[in-house]
Amino acid sequence: MKRNMTQRIFIIVISVVLLFISAGMTKGDGDILAGPEGWIQNGAGWIEGVFYTPFSGLFADGKGTKSASSPSVEELKLRARVNELTKENQELKEMLDYKTENRLESIQARVVYRSPDRFSNRVVINRGTDDGVRPKMPVVTPQGLIGRVQTATSHMANIQLLTDSGDGPGIAAVVQTDKGEVLGIIEGYDEQKRRLIMKKVPVTAAPKKGQIIVTSRLSDIYPGGILIGTVDAVTMNESQVEQVVYIKPSASFEQLDYVAVVKDPEKLQLKSMQK
Amino acid sequence: MKKLFAGFLFLLFILEGSVFQWLLPQAWGSTFIVIPQLVVSGMIAISLYLPRRYVLLLSFFFGLLHDVVYGPALGISAITLPLVAYGTYRMAAHVPPFQWVAGVLTAWGQLIYLILIYGWDRLFDFTDVPVVLAMWNYIIPSTLFNVIIGYPIFKVIHLIYQKKRNRSIIFDTILR
């Protein structure tokens, strides 16, 4: 009995140590996943897409289907189809506008599944390195920036949403004030207030509520001018040497369907030159 | 029977990331966030019936699958899920698998699983959610939801067991 107990404790300790090692090693950011991990994710993404995408039609207007009488299955199916087509049409049109306005190349994609584990916010899209997606590329919807590519496999890509409060590099962003642009860095997300946190804003600047925040051209990976959100509140940080701006994101991070990965030729060139 | 269990768990696994992401309260703008953990509920129900070896293997496999497909790093659920399943297996060894026993075990298992996952995520810096907020807005609503959704899952697993048990009953009793 006693030996049995020691054995059990030993097994638990070993497995916790293994957890630390494996989590530390696979915490990878900006990797291209090949081998078994990539295959599993491709396969899972394909299967999940079959379940995930049909639902976008049902909830196309974001209100769900409501009806007083009980409609027949045929009617529901047709309605779902109409909703889906309307939404697809509208989203693709918006995408097109977005593209012509911004003159950046973009890769259209659909979300195939979302991680249920809400402590880390990530979604997976059905475009991978074969379609030109590379880690660290920004991902947008017609409403604005939603995140960046974290890892990619040959046919799928993991998107880390802006709402992910874990570690990750900050995003250089600018507030468009009356007296020119004010630079800051977006680091983290306040779950309670549901606002993005922008730090390192100089004290001399006076951002006002409602002013627009976009990505900065100075960033290594993000092209300039992608809409992020509007200023909601401004406070001083604890040491009183810089301001903290709370940003109300313009994009919705729920019920995601069509997204686009932005490919900025300039930044790609920059990256290859750095190498 | 084991193949059926694994197949059913895989279906639950797929539903977690796809269909439920459209239906849960957070998709409609709620501040309460429900984490669907159908696989954990299923695994707990299975741990009432199968021998230890299969419980551990199956839970390790599905934990690892969760890490590869959904998780931020490998190993987190691959270790937590067998731990929780083994715990409920040990507790279930003393009582017959009545419905209310399954309910209580699911509630405990889900709560402990969520707390452990939150702990690991916080430790490895995958999340920044404060403890109190995580408790009230994430863990408690999720536990309630998963206990409710765990009832039909338990029923299905019970049904599969009832139908298939004759074939392997001797085998199981020897191993258990």
Side-chain angles (χ1 to χ4, degrees):
Chain A
M1 181 64 205
K2 204 180 171 191
R3 188 166 156 267
N4 219 343
M5 203 65 197
T6 344
Q7 216 171 14
R8 248 174 235 157
I9 291 170
F10 188 66
I11 288 173
I12 291 176
V13 169
I14 290 281
S15 45
V16 169
V17 170
L18 280 178
L19 165 66
F20 271 81
I21 293 170
S22 89
M25 269 164 57
T26 55
K27 215 171 154 178
D29 191 34
D31 295 339
I32 293 173
L33 302 177
E37 209 183 338
W39 303 333
I40 293 173
Q41 214 165 65
N42 284 344
W46 188 79
I47 300 169
E48 302 243 11
V50 174
F51 285 81
Y52 187 92
T53 40
F55 269 77
S56 67
L58 281 176
F59 305 118
D61 50 358
K63 288 172 197 128
T65 46
K66 286 175 212 154
S67 73
S69 59
S70 57
S72 67
V73 179
E74 277 305 304
E75 196 191 332
L76 266 181
K77 268 188 190 162
L78 280 175
R79 206 186 292 167
R81 185 90 188 119
V82 168
N83 276 346
E84 195 183 329
L85 289 176
T86 321
K87 191 193 169 207
E88 190 177 328
N89 194 355
Q90 191 192 339
E91 288 204 357
L92 291 176
K93 264 185 193 162
E94 279 178 29
M95 258 333 158
L96 205 66
D97 279 351
Y98 192 87
K99 233 164 99 175
T100 46
E101 272 169 25
N102 286 270
R103 291 192 182 284
L104 291 167
E105 276 182 63
S106 63
I107 304 158
Q108 316 299 325
R110 277 191 102 164
V111 173
V112 284
Y113 66 84
R114 180 173 185 145
S115 166
D117 193 357
R118 286 295 173 129
F119 293 122
S120 54
N121 279 289
R122 62 199 65 219
V123 296
V124 174
I125 57 169
N126 61 357
R127 293 278 181 272
T129 48
D130 285 4
D131 309 283
V133 175
R134 293 283 176 277
K136 294 182 181 172
M137 281 182 174
V139 182
V140 298
T141 63
Q143 287 116 39
L145 185 71
I146 58 163
R148 67 188 185 103
V149 176
Q150 195 174 32
T151 55
T153 70
S154 54
H155 294 92
M156 304 282 158
N158 261 306
I159 312 298
Q160 184 182 32
L161 296 179
L162 286 179
T163 49
D164 194 291
S165 58
D167 61 343
I171 302 166
V174 288
V175 189
Q176 297 176 332
T177 62
D178 313 328
K179 294 171 193 163
E181 294 185 330
V182 174
L183 189 72
I185 303 223
I186 297 180
E187 278 177 340
Y189 180 73
D190 191 321
E191 301 272 349
Q192 212 146 15
K193 293 179 186 159
R194 313 182 100 195
R195 297 284 181 264
L196 294 164
I197 303 164
M198 187 177 182
K199 291 176 184 166
K200 305 208 169 58
V201 179
V203 190
T204 47
K208 289 191 191 75
K209 191 174 173 173
Q211 280 170 341
I212 293 168
I213 291 161
V214 295
T215 53
S216 163
R217 280 183 305 281
L218 303 172
S219 161
D220 255 8
I221 47 171
Y222 292 96
I226 299 178
L227 180 65
I228 296 173
T230 51
V231 175
D232 185 57
V234 185
T235 53
M236 290 295 274
N237 79 338
E238 289 138 19
S239 53
Q240 306 280 318
V241 289
E242 58 183 47
Q243 295 186 87
V244 178
V245 176
Y246 287 90
I247 305 170
K248 187 181 174 195
S250 63
S252 153
F253 299 98
E254 295 293 342
Q255 301 195 335
L256 294 166
D257 190 12
Y258 286 93
V259 298
V261 182
V262 182
K263 207 170 153 186
D264 188 353
E266 275 177 44
K267 306 285 175 191
L268 284 177
Q269 228 170 4
L270 187 77
K271 207 175 160 188
S272 64
M273 275 165 75
Q274 280 172 345
K275 270 179 189 167
Chain B
M1 183 164 67
K2 277 120 206 167
K3 275 180 198 158
L4 266 179
F5 277 159
F8 181 61
L9 278 186
F10 188 70
L11 177 72
L12 295 180
F13 176 79
I14 294 294
L15 290 182
E16 267 182 12
S18 52
V19 178
F20 276 83
Q21 295 306 314
W22 289 99
L23 302 175
L24 290 171
Q26 62 264 30
W28 306 91
S30 159
T31 43
F32 287 107
I33 287 171
V34 169
I35 302 166
Q37 297 188 133
L38 314 182
V39 173
V40 180
S41 287
M43 209 52 241
I44 290 168
I46 286 172
S47 75
L48 307 184
Y49 297 114
L50 284 192
R52 184 175 64 185
R53 193 188 312 175
Y54 292 102
V55 169
L56 286 177
L57 270 179
L58 206 61
S59 54
F60 175 72
F61 173 76
F62 273 97
L64 196 62
L65 192 66
H66 187 282
D67 281 337
V68 172
V69 177
Y70 296 135
L74 300 188
I76 293 178
S77 356
I79 280 174
T80 317
L81 189 56
L83 211 69
V84 169
Y86 185 66
T88 53
Y89 167 85
R90 292 284 295 181
M91 281 197 254
H94 303 291
V95 276
F98 293 137
Q99 275 178 19
W100 66 269
V101 174
V104 170
L105 286 180
T106 311
W108 271 111
Q110 288 283 0
L111 189 66
I112 289 166
Y113 183 83
L114 279 161
I115 291 172
L116 283 175
I117 289 288
Y118 170 70
W120 291 128
D121 278 0
R122 193 79 197 264
L123 178 68
F124 292 121
D125 219 358
F126 296 130
T127 185
D128 225 7
V129 186
V131 181
V132 180
L133 186 75
M135 209 63 202
W136 287 109
N137 283 23
Y138 289 70
I139 294 174
I140 290 172
S142 302
T143 309
L144 288 177
F145 171 83
N146 284 307
V147 169
I148 295 165
I149 204 87
Y151 182 69
I153 292 171
F154 169 75
K155 277 291 190 196
V156 171
I157 282 169
H158 185 71
L159 205 76
I160 296 174
Y161 181 74
Q162 290 280 326
K163 280 213 158 157
K164 299 282 174 182
R165 121 184 110 164
N166 296 338
R167 240 183 273 167
S168 55
I169 189 159
I170 303 162
F171 187 54
D172 274 7
T173 34
I174 292 168
L175 278 175
R176 186 138 191 150

